[in-house]
Amino acid sequence: MTVEVRLKEIRNERGISQNELARRLEMSLANVQKIEYGKAKSIPLETLDKLCQILECEVGDLLVRVPDSNDGSSKKEQKLVQVVDEVKEDKINNFNSQSINANEMIAA
């Protein structure tokens, strides 16, 4: 199980920039970005409370539990596999289409 931080989505919905949020939290922009990009190792409860006050939301709006897949891969890994599969399928379809065109030219 992983916990996803939805800070960027909520911040954008509220029309608050990263710089403004950092100023109101009395925190560096780099630290706000770490939280937003999921790179923070932890978020103090005091910071979560301030975020909720500023963004007018609940902790459950900011932090969302993402269950692991049955095979143990993360959501990002699953999405990457999906994209790669779609690209492969497109390339195969394109190749098959070109092969059909080549065969038609040979037969003519």
Side-chain angles (χ1 to χ4, degrees), residues 36-90:
E36 193 165 290
Y37 301 139
K39 302 296 183 190
K41 295 187 189 275
S42 64
I43 305 171
L45 292 177
E46 182 180 328
T47 302
L48 282 174
D49 184 48
K50 283 183 182 180
L51 281 168
C52 289
Q53 287 174 10
I54 294 166
L55 299 172
E56 298 176 354
C57 67
E58 297 296 322
V59 174
D61 299 326
L62 281 172
L63 304 177
V64 180
R65 179 183 172 270
V66 179
D68 292 333
S69 67
N70 292 338
D71 63 2
S73 61
S74 72
K75 190 175 181 180
K76 287 181 182 178
E77 290 170 327
Q78 292 172 23
K79 182 65 178 172
L80 179 61
V81 168
Q82 179 184 353
V83 169
V84 168
D85 287 344
E86 289 171 3
V87 168
K88 279 201 271 185
E89 186 175 328
D90 285 346

Side-chain angles (χ1 to χ4, degrees), residues 7 18-19 22-23 27-40:
L7 178 57
Q18 286 181 337
N19 283 320
R23 187 188 64 74
M27 177 184 285
S28 72
L29 176 60
N31 283 338
V32 169
Q33 289 173 334
K34 280 182 183 178
I35 295 170
E36 193 165 290
Y37 301 139
K39 302 296 183 190

Side-chain angles (χ1 to χ4, degrees), residues 8-25:
K8 182 176 183 176
E9 295 91 339
I10 295 173
R11 180 182 57 74
N12 284 334
E13 287 171 6
R14 305 297 191 268
I16 299 173
S17 69
Q18 286 181 337
N19 283 320
E20 174 67 11
L21 184 59
R23 187 188 64 74
R24 291 173 65 180
L25 285 169

